[in-house]
Amino acid sequence: MSAQQRFAQAVEASIQQYLDEREAALTELASDATPLIRLVREMVSGGKRVRSAFVLWGWHAVTAARPDASHTTGTEQDPAWADAVGVATAIELFHAAALVHDDIIDQSDTRRGRPSMHRSLEALHRDGEWVGDAGSWGEHAALLAGDLLLNWADDRMLRACRQAAQGDAVHDAYRRMREEVTFGQYLDVLEEAAWIRQEPATLLDRAHTVAIYKSAKYSVEAPLTLGALLAGGSEAQLDALAGYGLPVGVAFQMRDDLLGVFGDPEVTGKPAGDDLREGKRTVLVEIARQRLSSGVRTMLDELLGDRELDERQIAILQDAIQRSEAPQRLEALIDRAVGEALESLHEGELSRSAVLELERLADTVAKRDR
């Protein structure tokens, strides 16, 4: 079993242990907490654990590069392993909260092939034959579930930082991450509504900005930085990891944009063309708009964001985007971003083993199919 697999197992065990603790506390208040905790467990379970992996390799890149490093440095025999697991646990809880809130905003019915949190809670209301509108109650309850996960993420991060030598720096970076991703989410919903009043020449740059703050920094750069700060990384090491993390994060989001339009529902766990129904003004969409004729561009603008799009209309939009050659151009941007990231890895004094794993991870996240 690889170090990354062992770390992922440790994080999974840490998550479940933490949820056991919180379930015990909440069920003391009322047994009604049990169904909610069950749904939270389902939400947190699974996933690619990409962010945990970047915490690990950011931490390992610094610890294993020290002159006095031994064969146990940066492994589960390292005394600081538990701190790294704690930081990754907090990131995974935060990620789950972000997904719950994101699905409410986007009105997504599914997540990872299962009903999204608000749809699951809607079903709980409906099956219980309770009073009021099941859909509204499901959204309200899911909003609170997301807030609960945010609270738990903050608590778990604080616990990890209390016992770490570099805890203050780690916690400050976590605070910035939370602020940036929330702002990025705001920019995303702003762009869906306000794009029509923006200068057309700025729309592509605006889409890039959304990608950076909503996903790129939080998916890759921030977890790497948190791991490296935990290990007491130097400025040069932090710069090298940031120079890798941001472009890989951008590539990650661009791949997500492609999957949101062309992904296989059997693999992604979400309906085909979901981003089109949600009206996402992504880099992919803006590249396509620049290259489409005015008539086709008008058609795309009129249909984009229509929640009632049927399969035929989705196919029409997919075909228009495909014929614009926007997917090919986005693939080229992904390749360029990964190339820039790999160059940065060799500019800091990072452990060779971490560099090799980060090179592999860059390829994995940039070429994934879900």
Side-chain angles (χ1 to χ4, degrees), residues 284 287-288 291-292 320-330:
L284 174 68
I287 291 175
R291 298 177 58 80
L292 291 171
I321 293 171
Q322 191 69 59
R323 284 189 291 107
S324 75
E325 298 185 350
Q328 296 92 314
R329 288 176 176 265
L330 202 64

Side-chain angles (χ1 to χ4, degrees), residues 300-335:
L300 184 148
D301 287 339
E302 289 176 350
L303 292 179
L304 197 65
D306 183 347
R307 301 279 179 179
E308 304 302 320
L309 288 179
D310 58 31
E311 292 184 5
R312 181 187 64 84
Q313 291 170 311
I314 290 290
I316 290 172
L317 290 176
Q318 288 172 328
D319 181 64
I321 293 171
Q322 191 69 59
R323 284 189 291 107
S324 75
E325 298 185 350
Q328 296 92 314
R329 288 176 176 265
L330 202 64
E331 291 284 5
L333 290 176
I334 290 172
D335 289 343

Side-chain angles (χ1 to χ4, degrees), residues 121-325:
L121 288 163
E122 177 183 339
L124 190 67
H125 181 291
R126 188 176 293 109
D127 293 345
E129 299 181 344
W130 299 341
V131 174
D133 181 73
S136 294
W137 187 88
E139 290 185 8
H140 300 162
L143 180 64
L144 296 172
D147 289 347
L148 195 61
L149 278 161
L150 284 176
N151 181 63
W152 290 345
D154 289 352
D155 176 54
R156 192 63 187 87
M157 181 62 76
L158 186 59
R159 293 188 194 187
C161 291
R162 275 178 184 154
Q163 59 195 38
Q166 305 296 327
D168 287 347
V170 174
H171 199 271
D172 191 48
Y174 172 70
R175 180 200 58 75
R176 288 197 305 273
M177 181 202 78
R178 279 200 52 172
E179 180 178 74
E180 288 173 348
V181 72
T182 304
F183 179 58
Q185 184 68 70
Y186 170 75
L187 292 179
D188 190 32
V189 298
L190 174 68
E191 208 60 21
E192 290 175 25
W195 70 270
I196 196 168
R197 300 303 177 200
Q198 308 300 335
E199 288 294 328
T202 69
L203 291 177
L204 182 56
D205 284 342
R206 293 173 68 89
H208 271 290
T209 300
V210 171
I212 287 170
Y213 287 100
K214 182 187 176 183
S215 181
K217 292 176 74 67
Y218 139 72
S219 297
V220 183
E221 184 187 21
L224 271 175
T225 298
L226 290 168
L229 284 170
L230 183 67
S234 67
E235 185 175 346
Q237 288 171 322
L238 292 168
D239 286 347
L241 289 170
Y244 163 93
L246 187 58
V248 169
V250 169
F252 180 92
Q253 182 56 46
M254 287 179 178
R255 178 61 58 195
D256 209 49
D257 294 346
L258 283 165
L259 293 174
V261 174
F262 299 106
D264 181 351
E266 295 296 321
V267 179
T268 65
K270 301 196 77 174
D274 223 28
D275 279 6
L276 301 174
R277 291 189 181 91
E278 293 167 7
K280 297 296 183 186
R281 314 300 298 196
T282 63
V283 173
L284 174 68
V285 166
E286 293 306 335
I287 291 175
R289 289 183 75 257
Q290 287 185 354
R291 298 177 58 80
L292 291 171
S293 66
S294 59
V296 178
R297 184 167 58 247
T298 297
M299 179 270 295
L300 184 148
D301 287 339
E302 289 176 350
L303 292 179
L304 197 65
D306 183 347
R307 301 279 179 179
E308 304 302 320
L309 288 179
D310 58 31
E311 292 184 5
R312 181 187 64 84
Q313 291 170 311
I314 290 290
I316 290 172
L317 290 176
Q318 288 172 328
D319 181 64
I321 293 171
Q322 191 69 59
R323 284 189 291 107
S324 75
E325 298 185 350

Side-chain angles (χ1 to χ4, degrees), residues 14 20 66 92 112 141 156 160 172 268 321 328 367 369:
S14 175
D20 287 345
R66 291 174 184 154
E92 294 295 348
R112 297 170 181 162
R156 192 63 187 87
D172 191 48
T268 65
I321 293 171
Q328 296 92 314
K367 296 182 179 178
D369 58 2

